[in-house]
C-alpha cells in the first residue's frame, strides 16, 4: 500500500483510570496523524485498551466486580477522554474483543505447530506491577525500579517461546534500522542489552490467571498478557490470526511508546513477528516521562497533575499545547501547575490570543486588504524528526515576531497618517496569521479553525481567557 501512514500508541492497561502520561503519548500520536493526513497520506491511527491479566483480576475482585464489568468501565473512561481531547483515532481496539481473542489463539497455534513453543519449567523474578519477569540486572536494591517492590520468585510449569534463536537476526535488524529504534540512545540501550545478555525462553502462559485468553493447545493455561496485547497492533487493522493474511496496512510506520515499555517492545514483539514471518515495524519511537517538579508523580508526594484538571483549566487546545510544549519530545519533561499557568498566560492568552485580536480589530472595516495566503513555512523536518516541541517553538517565534512588529510599526497610528504603509503592514500580518492557522492544524485543531473563521468574518472572540 503506497502512501500509507499507520501509527499506533500503546494500548493502555485498564487497571486504573487514564492519567496525564497516557494523554501525553496520545496527543503526540494525534499530532503526527493529523500532520500526515494534511500531507495527503492515507492515515490509520490505532489505539485501544489492554484488558487481561492478574492485576486486573485482582483489582476487580477487590471491588466486587467481574473483570469484564471492571474493564468496560475503565475502557469507557479512556474513550471518553480521547473524545474530550479531540483525538482523531481510526480504531479503538480492546483485547477483550471477540475477534482479537480468536486471532491471538490462531496465531499461538501456528507458532506452536512450527515448533517454537515448548512445555518446560520456568523460574524467575516476577513483578506483578510490570506483569513480567525481570532480570537480576534490572533490579535496584533488589526491587523493581518502576514499582519499588520486591519481585516474587515464581516457578511454574509453563509454555516457553524460544527467543534465543531469533536474537542475532533481531540485532541485525536493529543495527541496520530495518527496525528503527529512536531516539538513538534507546537504540544503543537495546543493542547493549541484546549483545550482553542471552535471551531466555519467554514464558507465554500463566497457570493461575483465569482472566486471559486460553492457550489453544492447552486450555489449563491462559496467554501471558504482553503476548496477547502486542497482537492488537495487527488485529486493530483487521488481522484474523491467519499467517497467510498480512494486513495491507502492516508494517506500522510509527509506534509510539514510553521508555518504561521499551524492552518488551524491542524484544518480545519483534520476535513474535519474526516467527509469524511478518515485517517488523518501521520505527519504534520512545519518549520520556512527564515529571512533576522533577519527580515522578505520586499520590504520596502530592504532585499529581490530573488530566481532567488540565482540561478544565486550559481547555482542549490549551491542554494539547501545554503537553507538547512541555519540552523535547523523547526526553523526560518536567511540569508544574504553576509553570503551566504561566505558560498558558504568556504564550496563549498574551501571545497568540493577543495577536489574533489585534490584527482582526485593526483590519475592521477595511475589506480592501488582501486576503492572500502565501505558502506556509515547511515544517516537515520537525515531524519526521519527531521534534514536536520544537515545531511549536517555531510557530511561537513567528507569533512573537509579529507582536513585536505591531509594536514597532504602530498600525493604529499609521491608519490615520499613512494609508499605504498601513496596508502593507496589515498585509504582512494577515498573511502570517493565515500561515499560523495552517501550521496549528495538527497541534490545536479547534484554535486553527477559530483563527480561520476570524479571518473570514473579520471579527473574533477571545481565544484564551487569562487565568489568575
Ligand atoms: Zn515492576
Amino acid at each position: 500500500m503506497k502512501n500509507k501512514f499507520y501509527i499506533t500508541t500503546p494500548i493502555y492497561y485498564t487497571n486504573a483510570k487514564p492519567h496525564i502520561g497516557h494523554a501525553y503519548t496520545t496527543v503526540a500520536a494525534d499530532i503526527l496523524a493529523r500532520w500526515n493526513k494534511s500531507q495527503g497520506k492515507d492515515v490509520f491511527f490505532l489505539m485501544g485498551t489492554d484488558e487481561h491479566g492478574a492485576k486486573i483480576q485482582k483489582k476487580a475482585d477487590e471491588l466486587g466486580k467481574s473483570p469484564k464489568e471492571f474493564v468496560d468501565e475503565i475502557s469507557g473512561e479512556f474513550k471518553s477522554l480521547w473524545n474530550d481531547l479531540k483525538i482523531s483515532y481510526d480504531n479503538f481496539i480492546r483485547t477483550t474483543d471477540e475477534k482479537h481473542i480468536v486471532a491471538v489463539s490462531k496465531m499461538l497455534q501456528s507458532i506452536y505447530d512450527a515448533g517454537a513453543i515448548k512445555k518446560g519449567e520456568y523460574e524467575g523474578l516476577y513483578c506483578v506491577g510490570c506483569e513480567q519477569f525481570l532480570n537480576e540486572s534490572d533490579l535496584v536494591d533488589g526491587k523493581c525500579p518502576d514499582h519499588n517492590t520486591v519481585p516474587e520468585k515464581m516457578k511454574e510449569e509453563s509454555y516457553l517461546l524460544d527467543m534465543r534463536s531469533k536474537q542475532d537476526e533481531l540485532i541485525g535488524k536493529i543495527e541496520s534500522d530495518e527496525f528503527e529504534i529512536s531516539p538513538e540512545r534507546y537504540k544503543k540501550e537495546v543493542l547493549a542489552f541484546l549483545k550482553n545478555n542471552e535471551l531466555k525462553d519467554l514464558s507465554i502462559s500463566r497457570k493461575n490467571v483465569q482472566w486471559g485468553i486460553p492457550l489453544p493447545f492447552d486450555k489449563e493455561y491462559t496467554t501471558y498478557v504482553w503476548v496477547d496485547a502486542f497482537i492488537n497492533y495487527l488485529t486493530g487493522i483487521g488481522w484474523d490470526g491467519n499467517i497467510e493474511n498480512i494486513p495491507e496496512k502492516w508494517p506500522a510506520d510509527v509506534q509510539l511508546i514510553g521508555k518504561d515499555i521499551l524492552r518488551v517492545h524491542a524484544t518480545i514483539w519483534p520476535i513474535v513477528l519474526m516467527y509469524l514471518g511478518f515485517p517488523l515495524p518501521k520505527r519504534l519511537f520512545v519518549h520520556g516521562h512527564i515529571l512533576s517538579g522533577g519527580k515522578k508523580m505520586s499520590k504520596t508526594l502530592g504532585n499529581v497533575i490530573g488530566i481532567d484538571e488540565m482540561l478544565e483549566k486550559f481547555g482542549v487546545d490549551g491542554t494539547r499545547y501545554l503537553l507538547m510544549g512541555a519540552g523535547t519530545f523523547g526526553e523526560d519533561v518536567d511540569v508544574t501547575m504553576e509553570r503551566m499557568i504561566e505558560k498558558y498566560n504568556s504564550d496563549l492568552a498574551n501571545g497568540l490570543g493577543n495577536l489574533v485580536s489585534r490584527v482582526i480589530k485593526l483590519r475592521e472595516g477595511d475589506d480592501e486588504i488582501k486576503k492572500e495566503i502565501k505558502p506556509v513555512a515547511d515544517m516537515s523536518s520537525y515531524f519526521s524528526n519527531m521534534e514536536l516541541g520544537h515545531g511549536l517553538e517555531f510557530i511561537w517565534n513567528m507569533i512573537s515576531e509579529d507582536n513585536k512588529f505591531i509594536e514597532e510599526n504602530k498600525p493604529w497610528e499609521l491608519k490615520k497618517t499613512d494609508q499605504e504603509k498601513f496596508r502593507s503592514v496589515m498585509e504582512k500580518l494577515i498573511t502570517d496569521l493565515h500561515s499560523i492557522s495552517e501550521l496549528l492544524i495538527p497541534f490545536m485543531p479547534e484554535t486553527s479553525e477559530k483563527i480561520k473563521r476570524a479571518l473570514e468574518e473579520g471579527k473574533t472572540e477571545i481565544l484564551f481567557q487569562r487565568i489568575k
Side-chain angles (χ1 to χ4, degrees), residues 374 398 402 427-437:
K374 76 167 176 208
M398 246 174 114
D402 278 346
E427 269 169 21
K428 175 196 161 33
L429 289 169
I430 285 169
T431 307
D432 281 358
L433 212 48
H434 274 291
S435 298
I436 289 165
S437 72

Side-chain angles (χ1 to χ4, degrees), residues 213-372:
I213 302 178
L215 289 188
F217 39 85
D218 191 340
K219 300 270 152 78
E220 275 187 41
Y221 292 83
T222 55
T223 308
Y224 174 40
V225 63
W226 271 108
V227 173
D228 160 5
F230 284 133
I231 304 306
N232 95 85
Y233 298 135
L234 296 168
T235 55
I237 44 171
W239 190 48
D240 61 1
N242 186 334
I243 55 168
E244 320 267 281
N245 303 338
I246 302 184
E248 61 170 357
K249 289 186 172 62
W250 190 256
D253 294 271
V254 174
Q255 301 208 272
L256 286 188
I257 59 165
K259 64 180 183 181
D260 53 322
I261 51 174
L262 168 60
R263 178 82 59 82
V264 283
H265 271 87
T267 54
I268 305 175
W269 171 223
I271 286 177
V272 167
L273 284 168
M274 284 154 78
Y275 275 117
L276 295 173
F278 284 18
L280 301 191
K282 289 187 193 157
R283 187 180 198 181
L284 187 63
F285 187 85
V286 187
H287 66 75
H289 290 157
I290 300 195
L291 307 174
S292 169
K295 297 209 168 79
K296 201 172 166 177
M297 289 187 201
S298 86
K299 277 184 199 149
T300 0
L301 288 175
N303 63 348
V304 176
I305 295 171
I307 185 67
D308 290 343
E309 192 186 351
M310 280 187 76
L311 274 166
E312 201 175 302
K313 244 195 184 83
F314 307 122
V316 179
D317 278 358
T319 301
R320 292 171 63 106
Y321 177 76
L322 292 169
L323 286 175
M324 275 311 111
T328 302
F329 189 55
E331 289 167 17
D332 283 350
V333 297
D334 188 26
V335 296
T336 63
M337 198 40 109
E338 209 184 358
R339 281 206 302 269
M340 284 198 289
I341 291 174
E342 236 176 73
K343 194 168 168 65
Y344 175 97
N345 283 336
S346 72
D347 295 2
L348 297 179
N350 291 350
L352 178 59
N354 212 8
L355 178 66
V356 173
S357 88
R358 290 208 275 186
V359 172
I360 301 294
K361 276 197 189 112
L362 280 164
R363 199 186 70 176
E364 225 159 69
D366 196 338
D367 291 331
E368 294 300 300
I369 293 165
K370 274 196 292 175
K371 290 180 183 173
E372 198 178 290

Side-chain angles (χ1 to χ4, degrees), residues 158-170:
S158 184
Y159 283 89
L160 304 171
L161 177 70
D162 171 12
M163 300 277 281
R164 176 69 196 95
S165 301
K166 298 287 184 192
Q167 186 164 354
D168 294 338
E169 197 185 333
L170 176 61

